[in-house]
Amino acid sequence: DAGVIQSPRHEVTEMGQEVTLRCKPISGHNSLFWYRQTMMRGLELLIYFNNNVPIDDSGMPEDRFSAKMPNASFSTLKIQPSEPRDSAVYFCASSLKGPSSYNEQFFGPGTRLTVL
Amino acid sequence: DQQVKQNSPSLSVQEGRISILNCDYTNSMFDYFLWYKKYPAEGPTFLISISSIKDKNEDGRFTVFLNKSAKHLSLHIVPSQPGDSAVYFCAASVTSGSARQLTFGSGTQLTVLP
């Protein structure tokens, strides 16, 4: 399996522009997580989906952030409009929730976002 | 309010010696704890975990200890190797209905010196 795939790997944009980050989870996984990593706050959970349904978006910092999961193999995280303080590494992770298995999360390589 | 804290941002250890990474938590509802390792330009990868019903879990060179009364866990790596140099994140979770949410600490940069 290719693992969790994220694109782009790097994104540089100007303040006010719309940014869309993409994620393809591991095939067969039914939970998907978006995280943000900053030096100050470490890894923060933004939102997670279970069976394509958003379960908890309490970590989404503002209305400028939105996430969708139209199907089991694709999710997007959108920032509109972007601000310099959004600069961070954004990780997507997926897991398989089952009755007998602990659902270890597998992370993608991340997207490094720089907002100028 | 940080529910999972890693108070040491960095740690340097000589190759062959023991590395001890510490983590404290505040939420007594956490029932599962994990350690992830992260190399530069890569996503975190799962290393080892422990359930709250245990106080020790060992996997090769890696051992995690859990002290529930102190709300403290630690990761021991022995012997440390240069390839262990990475950022180590402690994470904790609470059993929930749909999926386990992980709350991460801020990470500790481990450097193993040859």
Side-chain angles (χ1 to χ4, degrees):
Chain A
D1 197 318
V4 176
I5 299 172
Q6 291 187 247
S7 64
R9 292 294 307 274
H10 303 274
E11 176 79 31
V12 180
T13 190
E14 292 187 345
M15 182 174 63
Q17 297 296 307
E18 177 180 296
V19 175
T20 300
L21 312 181
R22 297 173 176 79
C23 175
K24 177 178 167 54
I26 292 173
S27 177
H29 281 190
N30 55 12
S31 295
L32 183 139
F33 307 80
W34 281 102
Y35 290 89
R36 178 172 67 176
Q37 183 189 13
T38 60
M39 289 293 291
M40 293 298 295
R41 301 178 66 88
L43 268 170
E44 300 175 275
L45 177 66
L46 300 177
I47 185 172
Y48 79 92
F49 297 82
N50 186 243
N51 293 323
N52 311 337
V53 176
I55 302 301
D56 185 351
D57 65 354
S58 59
M60 297 284 262
E62 301 172 31
D63 291 344
R64 298 184 296 107
F65 286 69
S66 62
K68 294 182 180 179
M69 192 164 186
N71 57 62
S73 59
F74 184 66
S75 176
T76 59
L77 177 67
K78 186 177 292 186
I79 309 172
Q80 165 65 20
S82 58
E83 297 183 3
R85 60 193 168 120
D86 301 331
S87 298
V89 181
Y90 291 81
F91 289 101
C92 175
S94 70
S95 69
L96 175 64
K97 179 179 181 293
S100 60
S101 64
Y102 176 73
N103 46 343
E104 172 196 337
Q105 293 182 21
F106 294 82
F107 283 75
T111 295
R112 181 174 294 277
L113 172 65
T114 302
V115 183
L116 303 174
Chain B
D1 177 34
Q2 279 193 302
Q3 297 188 62
V4 178
K5 297 180 182 179
Q6 293 177 256
N7 292 317
S8 298
S10 63
L11 173 68
S12 290
V13 172
Q14 208 68 36
E15 181 179 4
R17 306 297 291 269
I18 184 170
S19 295
I20 300 177
L21 297 101
N22 294 303
C23 179
D24 297 294
Y25 62 95
T26 57
N27 188 346
S28 57
M29 298 297 292
F30 286 141
D31 59 0
Y32 210 91
F33 304 88
L34 309 90
W35 286 92
Y36 278 76
K37 179 169 71 174
K38 183 185 178 306
Y39 292 117
E42 295 183 10
T45 55
F46 171 75
L47 185 59
I48 192 170
S49 64
I50 187 168
S51 165
S52 60
I53 63 173
K54 295 186 176 181
D55 54 20
K56 177 183 174 182
N57 188 28
E58 191 172 350
D59 183 2
R61 297 185 297 112
F62 302 90
T63 304
V64 56
F65 295 92
L66 176 63
N67 182 334
K68 287 191 294 292
S69 60
K71 293 191 177 66
H72 177 84
L73 67 156
S74 61
L75 174 67
H76 292 209
I77 307 173
V78 56
S80 301
Q81 299 173 354
D84 296 330
S85 297
V87 177
Y88 288 79
F89 290 98
C90 168
S93 73
V94 177
T95 301
S96 64
S98 53
R100 283 184 179 269
Q101 288 181 260
L102 293 180
T103 302
F104 283 86
S106 54
T108 297
Q109 170 70 57
L110 173 66
T111 302
V112 180
L113 305 168

mmCIF file of all heavy atoms in Angstrom, chain A residues 59-98:
data_model
loop_
_atom_site.group_PDB
_atom_site.id
_atom_site.type_symbol
_atom_site.label_atom_id
_atom_site.label_comp_id
_atom_site.label_asym_id
_atom_site.label_seq_id
_atom_site.Cartn_x
_atom_site.Cartn_y
_atom_site.Cartn_z
ATOM 1 N N GLY A 59 -11.667 21.387 16.755
ATOM 2 C CA GLY A 59 -10.302 21.863 16.637
ATOM 3 C C GLY A 59 -10.070 22.807 15.479
ATOM 4 O O GLY A 59 -8.996 23.413 15.377
ATOM 5 N N MET A 60 -11.055 22.981 14.629
ATOM 6 C CA MET A 60 -10.918 23.901 13.495
ATOM 7 C C MET A 60 -10.851 25.320 14.055
ATOM 8 O O MET A 60 -11.773 25.768 14.734
ATOM 9 C CB MET A 60 -12.099 23.752 12.549
ATOM 10 C CG MET A 60 -12.180 22.371 11.920
ATOM 11 S SD MET A 60 -10.973 22.137 10.620
ATOM 12 C CE MET A 60 -12.000 22.466 9.187
ATOM 13 N N PRO A 61 -9.792 26.047 13.757
ATOM 14 C CA PRO A 61 -9.552 27.319 14.442
ATOM 15 C C PRO A 61 -10.591 28.404 14.127
ATOM 16 O O PRO A 61 -10.948 29.159 15.009
ATOM 17 C CB PRO A 61 -8.150 27.720 13.990
ATOM 18 C CG PRO A 61 -7.866 26.913 12.778
ATOM 19 C CD PRO A 61 -8.676 25.684 12.855
ATOM 20 N N GLU A 62 -11.028 28.504 12.915
ATOM 21 C CA GLU A 62 -11.961 29.567 12.553
ATOM 22 C C GLU A 62 -12.826 29.129 11.390
ATOM 23 O O GLU A 62 -12.591 28.087 10.782
ATOM 24 C CB GLU A 62 -11.167 30.820 12.140
ATOM 25 C CG GLU A 62 -10.245 31.357 13.198
ATOM 26 C CD GLU A 62 -9.354 32.459 12.644
ATOM 27 O OE1 GLU A 62 -9.799 33.192 11.725
ATOM 28 O OE2 GLU A 62 -8.227 32.597 13.113
ATOM 29 N N ASP A 63 -13.799 29.975 11.099
ATOM 30 C CA ASP A 63 -14.667 29.687 9.950
ATOM 31 C C ASP A 63 -13.914 29.721 8.629
ATOM 32 O O ASP A 63 -14.438 29.263 7.607
ATOM 33 C CB ASP A 63 -15.830 30.694 9.895
ATOM 34 C CG ASP A 63 -16.789 30.486 11.046
ATOM 35 O OD1 ASP A 63 -16.727 29.412 11.678
ATOM 36 O OD2 ASP A 63 -17.597 31.391 11.312
ATOM 37 N N ARG A 64 -12.726 30.252 8.644
ATOM 38 C CA ARG A 64 -11.929 30.275 7.409
ATOM 39 C C ARG A 64 -11.508 28.863 7.014
ATOM 40 O O ARG A 64 -11.125 28.623 5.878
ATOM 41 C CB ARG A 64 -10.688 31.148 7.597
ATOM 42 C CG ARG A 64 -10.984 32.614 7.894
ATOM 43 C CD ARG A 64 -9.707 33.435 7.965
ATOM 44 N NE ARG A 64 -8.834 33.039 9.059
ATOM 45 C CZ ARG A 64 -7.692 32.365 8.889
ATOM 46 N NH1 ARG A 64 -7.289 32.022 7.677
ATOM 47 N NH2 ARG A 64 -6.943 32.050 9.934
ATOM 48 N N PHE A 65 -11.561 27.948 7.965
ATOM 49 C CA PHE A 65 -11.155 26.573 7.724
ATOM 50 C C PHE A 65 -12.394 25.710 7.476
ATOM 51 O O PHE A 65 -13.381 25.802 8.214
ATOM 52 C CB PHE A 65 -10.398 26.006 8.930
ATOM 53 C CG PHE A 65 -9.001 26.526 9.091
ATOM 54 C CD1 PHE A 65 -8.758 27.836 9.457
ATOM 55 C CD2 PHE A 65 -7.917 25.677 8.884
ATOM 56 C CE1 PHE A 65 -7.458 28.311 9.609
ATOM 57 C CE2 PHE A 65 -6.615 26.134 9.045
ATOM 58 C CZ PHE A 65 -6.393 27.454 9.403
ATOM 59 N N SER A 66 -12.301 24.870 6.451
ATOM 60 C CA SER A 66 -13.378 23.913 6.201
ATOM 61 C C SER A 66 -12.772 22.619 5.665
ATOM 62 O O SER A 66 -11.719 22.637 5.031
ATOM 63 C CB SER A 66 -14.405 24.477 5.213
ATOM 64 O OG SER A 66 -13.795 24.724 3.959
ATOM 65 N N ALA A 67 -13.436 21.519 5.940
ATOM 66 C CA ALA A 67 -12.952 20.219 5.464
ATOM 67 C C ALA A 67 -14.114 19.412 4.936
ATOM 68 O O ALA A 67 -15.232 19.508 5.451
ATOM 69 C CB ALA A 67 -12.242 19.463 6.589
ATOM 70 N N LYS A 68 -13.812 18.646 3.918
ATOM 71 C CA LYS A 68 -14.832 17.790 3.319
ATOM 72 C C LYS A 68 -14.259 16.403 3.065
ATOM 73 O O LYS A 68 -13.049 16.232 2.894
ATOM 74 C CB LYS A 68 -15.327 18.383 1.992
ATOM 75 C CG LYS A 68 -16.071 19.686 2.117
ATOM 76 C CD LYS A 68 -16.558 20.164 0.759
ATOM 77 C CE LYS A 68 -17.315 21.484 0.867
ATOM 78 N NZ LYS A 68 -17.771 21.987 -0.452
ATOM 79 N N MET A 69 -15.154 15.438 3.030
ATOM 80 C CA MET A 69 -14.752 14.080 2.656
ATOM 81 C C MET A 69 -15.860 13.522 1.778
ATOM 82 O O MET A 69 -16.784 12.858 2.275
ATOM 83 C CB MET A 69 -14.510 13.206 3.885
ATOM 84 C CG MET A 69 -13.825 11.914 3.541
ATOM 85 S SD MET A 69 -13.147 11.103 4.988
ATOM 86 C CE MET A 69 -12.280 9.745 4.192
ATOM 87 N N PRO A 70 -15.822 13.817 0.503
ATOM 88 C CA PRO A 70 -16.915 13.416 -0.386
ATOM 89 C C PRO A 70 -17.026 11.909 -0.594
ATOM 90 O O PRO A 70 -18.106 11.412 -0.925
ATOM 91 C CB PRO A 70 -16.576 14.123 -1.702
ATOM 92 C CG PRO A 70 -15.103 14.383 -1.630
ATOM 93 C CD PRO A 70 -14.782 14.582 -0.177
ATOM 94 N N ASN A 71 -15.915 11.199 -0.405
ATOM 95 C CA ASN A 71 -15.955 9.741 -0.505
ATOM 96 C C ASN A 71 -14.855 9.142 0.351
ATOM 97 O O ASN A 71 -14.044 9.877 0.937
ATOM 98 C CB ASN A 71 -15.830 9.284 -1.969
ATOM 99 C CG ASN A 71 -14.571 9.807 -2.621
ATOM 100 O OD1 ASN A 71 -13.468 9.487 -2.200
ATOM 101 N ND2 ASN A 71 -14.732 10.633 -3.659
ATOM 102 N N ALA A 72 -14.815 7.838 0.418
ATOM 103 C CA ALA A 72 -13.893 7.157 1.343
ATOM 104 C C ALA A 72 -12.433 7.291 0.952
ATOM 105 O O ALA A 72 -11.554 6.946 1.739
ATOM 106 C CB ALA A 72 -14.277 5.679 1.425
ATOM 107 N N SER A 73 -12.162 7.782 -0.236
ATOM 108 C CA SER A 73 -10.773 7.824 -0.680
ATOM 109 C C SER A 73 -10.238 9.229 -0.893
ATOM 110 O O SER A 73 -9.170 9.419 -1.475
ATOM 111 C CB SER A 73 -10.619 7.033 -1.986
ATOM 112 O OG SER A 73 -11.455 7.565 -2.988
ATOM 113 N N PHE A 74 -10.955 10.242 -0.406
ATOM 114 C CA PHE A 74 -10.492 11.603 -0.672
ATOM 115 C C PHE A 74 -11.038 12.584 0.351
ATOM 116 O O PHE A 74 -12.218 12.525 0.721
ATOM 117 C CB PHE A 74 -10.938 12.024 -2.076
ATOM 118 C CG PHE A 74 -10.445 13.382 -2.502
ATOM 119 C CD1 PHE A 74 -9.099 13.612 -2.700
ATOM 120 C CD2 PHE A 74 -11.347 14.422 -2.718
ATOM 121 C CE1 PHE A 74 -8.638 14.862 -3.105
ATOM 122 C CE2 PHE A 74 -10.901 15.672 -3.123
ATOM 123 C CZ PHE A 74 -9.551 15.888 -3.320
ATOM 124 N N SER A 75 -10.162 13.482 0.792
ATOM 125 C CA SER A 75 -10.595 14.544 1.690
ATOM 126 C C SER A 75 -9.829 15.817 1.354
ATOM 127 O O SER A 75 -8.701 15.764 0.859
ATOM 128 C CB SER A 75 -10.330 14.160 3.145
ATOM 129 O OG SER A 75 -10.663 15.217 4.025
ATOM 130 N N THR A 76 -10.456 16.952 1.613
ATOM 131 C CA THR A 76 -9.806 18.237 1.413
ATOM 132 C C THR A 76 -9.916 19.080 2.670
ATOM 133 O O THR A 76 -10.897 18.980 3.421
ATOM 134 C CB THR A 76 -10.421 19.025 0.243
ATOM 135 O OG1 THR A 76 -11.811 19.240 0.514
ATOM 136 C CG2 THR A 76 -10.252 18.293 -1.064
ATOM 137 N N LEU A 77 -8.913 19.888 2.879
ATOM 138 C CA LEU A 77 -8.922 20.913 3.917
ATOM 139 C C LEU A 77 -8.693 22.241 3.219
ATOM 140 O O LEU A 77 -7.699 22.419 2.525
ATOM 141 C CB LEU A 77 -7.816 20.662 4.950
ATOM 142 C CG LEU A 77 -7.676 21.702 6.065
ATOM 143 C CD1 LEU A 77 -8.895 21.678 6.985
ATOM 144 C CD2 LEU A 77 -6.407 21.453 6.877
ATOM 145 N N LYS A 78 -9.640 23.144 3.386
ATOM 146 C CA LYS A 78 -9.585 24.414 2.664
ATOM 147 C C LYS A 78 -9.457 25.568 3.655
ATOM 148 O O LYS A 78 -10.106 25.574 4.709
ATOM 149 C CB LYS A 78 -10.832 24.577 1.808
ATOM 150 C CG LYS A 78 -10.837 25.799 0.899
ATOM 151 C CD LYS A 78 -12.084 25.842 0.028
ATOM 152 C CE LYS A 78 -12.090 24.742 -0.997
ATOM 153 N NZ LYS A 78 -13.232 24.868 -1.945
ATOM 154 N N ILE A 79 -8.630 26.527 3.294
ATOM 155 C CA ILE A 79 -8.476 27.747 4.085
ATOM 156 C C ILE A 79 -8.778 28.919 3.162
ATOM 157 O O ILE A 79 -8.142 29.106 2.139
ATOM 158 C CB ILE A 79 -7.048 27.899 4.656
ATOM 159 C CG1 ILE A 79 -6.615 26.628 5.386
ATOM 160 C CG2 ILE A 79 -6.993 29.095 5.614
ATOM 161 C CD1 ILE A 79 -5.152 26.636 5.819
ATOM 162 N N GLN A 80 -9.784 29.695 3.536
ATOM 163 C CA GLN A 80 -10.194 30.813 2.696
ATOM 164 C C GLN A 80 -10.808 31.916 3.559
ATOM 165 O O GLN A 80 -11.842 31.689 4.177
ATOM 166 C CB GLN A 80 -11.215 30.350 1.647
ATOM 167 C CG GLN A 80 -11.990 31.457 0.936
ATOM 168 C CD GLN A 80 -11.118 32.360 0.083
ATOM 169 O OE1 GLN A 80 -10.012 31.989 -0.295
ATOM 170 N NE2 GLN A 80 -11.622 33.556 -0.191
ATOM 171 N N PRO A 81 -10.193 33.089 3.625
ATOM 172 C CA PRO A 81 -8.905 33.451 3.050
ATOM 173 C C PRO A 81 -7.749 33.044 3.965
ATOM 174 O O PRO A 81 -7.911 32.986 5.180
ATOM 175 C CB PRO A 81 -9.007 34.983 2.971
ATOM 176 C CG PRO A 81 -9.863 35.343 4.144
ATOM 177 C CD PRO A 81 -10.855 34.218 4.288
ATOM 178 N N SER A 82 -6.609 32.789 3.400
ATOM 179 C CA SER A 82 -5.454 32.376 4.210
ATOM 180 C C SER A 82 -4.790 33.593 4.854
ATOM 181 O O SER A 82 -4.874 34.719 4.339
ATOM 182 C CB SER A 82 -4.453 31.605 3.353
ATOM 183 O OG SER A 82 -4.015 32.399 2.267
ATOM 184 N N GLU A 83 -4.151 33.339 5.995
ATOM 185 C CA GLU A 83 -3.441 34.374 6.735
ATOM 186 C C GLU A 83 -2.054 33.853 7.102
ATOM 187 O O GLU A 83 -1.859 32.632 7.209
ATOM 188 C CB GLU A 83 -4.201 34.758 7.997
ATOM 189 C CG GLU A 83 -5.570 35.368 7.728
ATOM 190 C CD GLU A 83 -6.288 35.811 8.998
ATOM 191 O OE1 GLU A 83 -5.697 35.688 10.096
ATOM 192 O OE2 GLU A 83 -7.439 36.275 8.885
ATOM 193 N N PRO A 84 -1.095 34.759 7.325
ATOM 194 C CA PRO A 84 0.266 34.305 7.673
ATOM 195 C C PRO A 84 0.305 33.362 8.868
ATOM 196 O O PRO A 84 1.114 32.435 8.914
ATOM 197 C CB PRO A 84 1.001 35.622 7.944
ATOM 198 C CG PRO A 84 0.322 36.613 7.064
ATOM 199 C CD PRO A 84 -1.141 36.212 7.092
ATOM 200 N N ARG A 85 -0.588 33.556 9.843
ATOM 201 C CA ARG A 85 -0.573 32.690 11.028
ATOM 202 C C ARG A 85 -1.059 31.270 10.740
ATOM 203 O O ARG A 85 -0.989 30.396 11.616
ATOM 204 C CB ARG A 85 -1.422 33.294 12.146
ATOM 205 C CG ARG A 85 -2.881 33.506 11.795
ATOM 206 C CD ARG A 85 -3.555 34.394 12.850
ATOM 207 N NE ARG A 85 -4.847 34.849 12.404
ATOM 208 C CZ ARG A 85 -5.978 34.570 13.059
ATOM 209 N NH1 ARG A 85 -5.947 33.837 14.146
ATOM 210 N NH2 ARG A 85 -7.133 35.041 12.617
ATOM 211 N N ASP A 86 -1.530 31.040 9.543
ATOM 212 C CA ASP A 86 -1.914 29.681 9.142
ATOM 213 C C ASP A 86 -0.706 28.868 8.695
ATOM 214 O O ASP A 86 -0.825 27.650 8.451
ATOM 215 C CB ASP A 86 -2.932 29.724 7.998
ATOM 216 C CG ASP A 86 -4.195 30.490 8.358
ATOM 217 O OD1 ASP A 86 -4.553 30.508 9.553
ATOM 218 O OD2 ASP A 86 -4.805 31.081 7.442
ATOM 219 N N SER A 87 0.431 29.506 8.566
ATOM 220 C CA SER A 87 1.651 28.806 8.135
ATOM 221 C C SER A 87 1.976 27.701 9.137
ATOM 222 O O SER A 87 2.113 27.949 10.338
ATOM 223 C CB SER A 87 2.811 29.792 8.027
ATOM 224 O OG SER A 87 2.545 30.783 7.046
ATOM 225 N N ALA A 88 2.079 26.487 8.625
ATOM 226 C CA ALA A 88 2.297 25.321 9.488
ATOM 227 C C ALA A 88 2.467 24.108 8.577
ATOM 228 O O ALA A 88 2.375 24.216 7.351
ATOM 229 C CB ALA A 88 1.105 25.103 10.418
ATOM 230 N N VAL A 89 2.696 22.964 9.200
ATOM 231 C CA VAL A 89 2.656 21.704 8.462
ATOM 232 C C VAL A 89 1.321 21.040 8.782
ATOM 233 O O VAL A 89 0.970 20.886 9.960
ATOM 234 C CB VAL A 89 3.815 20.766 8.825
ATOM 235 C CG1 VAL A 89 3.728 19.477 8.009
ATOM 236 C CG2 VAL A 89 5.161 21.452 8.575
ATOM 237 N N TYR A 90 0.602 20.664 7.753
ATOM 238 C CA TYR A 90 -0.701 20.046 7.925
ATOM 239 C C TYR A 90 -0.590 18.571 7.579
ATOM 240 O O TYR A 90 -0.143 18.193 6.498
ATOM 241 C CB TYR A 90 -1.745 20.733 7.027
ATOM 242 C CG TYR A 90 -2.052 22.134 7.485
ATOM 243 C CD1 TYR A 90 -1.210 23.207 7.159
ATOM 244 C CD2 TYR A 90 -3.168 22.409 8.264
ATOM 245 C CE1 TYR A 90 -1.472 24.489 7.603
ATOM 246 C CE2 TYR A 90 -3.447 23.695 8.710
ATOM 247 C CZ TYR A 90 -2.588 24.727 8.381
ATOM 248 O OH TYR A 90 -2.848 25.996 8.829
ATOM 249 N N PHE A 91 -0.992 17.731 8.532
ATOM 250 C CA PHE A 91 -0.920 16.289 8.344
ATOM 251 C C PHE A 91 -2.329 15.710 8.231
ATOM 252 O O PHE A 91 -3.259 16.136 8.909
ATOM 253 C CB PHE A 91 -0.220 15.605 9.523
ATOM 254 C CG PHE A 91 1.254 15.857 9.591
ATOM 255 C CD1 PHE A 91 1.767 16.786 10.480
ATOM 256 C CD2 PHE A 91 2.121 15.153 8.784
ATOM 257 C CE1 PHE A 91 3.139 17.017 10.555
ATOM 258 C CE2 PHE A 91 3.493 15.371 8.848
ATOM 259 C CZ PHE A 91 3.995 16.318 9.737
ATOM 260 N N CYS A 92 -2.412 14.706 7.385
ATOM 261 C CA CYS A 92 -3.607 13.891 7.292
ATOM 262 C C CYS A 92 -3.235 12.504 7.819
ATOM 263 O O CYS A 92 -2.105 12.027 7.593
ATOM 264 C CB CYS A 92 -4.064 13.820 5.833
ATOM 265 S SG CYS A 92 -5.445 12.735 5.515
ATOM 266 N N ALA A 93 -4.139 11.878 8.538
ATOM 267 C CA ALA A 93 -3.895 10.527 9.041
ATOM 268 C C ALA A 93 -5.164 9.709 8.847
ATOM 269 O O ALA A 93 -6.272 10.252 8.811
ATOM 270 C CB ALA A 93 -3.499 10.550 10.520
ATOM 271 N N SER A 94 -4.996 8.401 8.708
ATOM 272 C CA SER A 94 -6.170 7.542 8.606
ATOM 273 C C SER A 94 -5.994 6.333 9.511
ATOM 274 O O SER A 94 -4.880 5.989 9.908
ATOM 275 C CB SER A 94 -6.413 7.106 7.155
ATOM 276 O OG SER A 94 -5.422 6.197 6.698
ATOM 277 N N SER A 95 -7.115 5.730 9.842
ATOM 278 C CA SER A 95 -7.081 4.543 10.698
ATOM 279 C C SER A 95 -8.279 3.672 10.380
ATOM 280 O O SER A 95 -9.248 4.109 9.745
ATOM 281 C CB SER A 95 -7.077 4.937 12.179
ATOM 282 O OG SER A 95 -8.320 5.496 12.554
ATOM 283 N N LEU A 96 -8.195 2.443 10.868
ATOM 284 C CA LEU A 96 -9.286 1.500 10.685
ATOM 285 C C LEU A 96 -9.856 1.195 12.044
ATOM 286 O O LEU A 96 -9.156 0.647 12.909
ATOM 287 C CB LEU A 96 -8.791 0.217 10.016
ATOM 288 C CG LEU A 96 -9.824 -0.911 9.883
ATOM 289 C CD1 LEU A 96 -10.967 -0.471 8.978
ATOM 290 C CD2 LEU A 96 -9.172 -2.172 9.341
ATOM 291 N N LYS A 97 -11.083 1.580 12.266
ATOM 292 C CA LYS A 97 -11.716 1.300 13.552
ATOM 293 C C LYS A 97 -12.404 -0.037 13.448
ATOM 294 O O LYS A 97 -13.271 -0.248 12.598
ATOM 295 C CB LYS A 97 -12.735 2.366 13.905
ATOM 296 C CG LYS A 97 -13.452 2.091 15.242
ATOM 297 C CD LYS A 97 -14.441 3.169 15.585
ATOM 298 C CE LYS A 97 -15.117 2.883 16.919
ATOM 299 N NZ LYS A 97 -15.982 1.681 16.854
ATOM 300 N N GLY A 98 -12.000 -0.940 14.327
ATOM 301 C CA GLY A 98 -12.637 -2.239 14.334
ATOM 302 C C GLY A 98 -12.904 -2.676 15.751
ATOM 303 O O GLY A 98 -12.377 -2.113 16.700
#
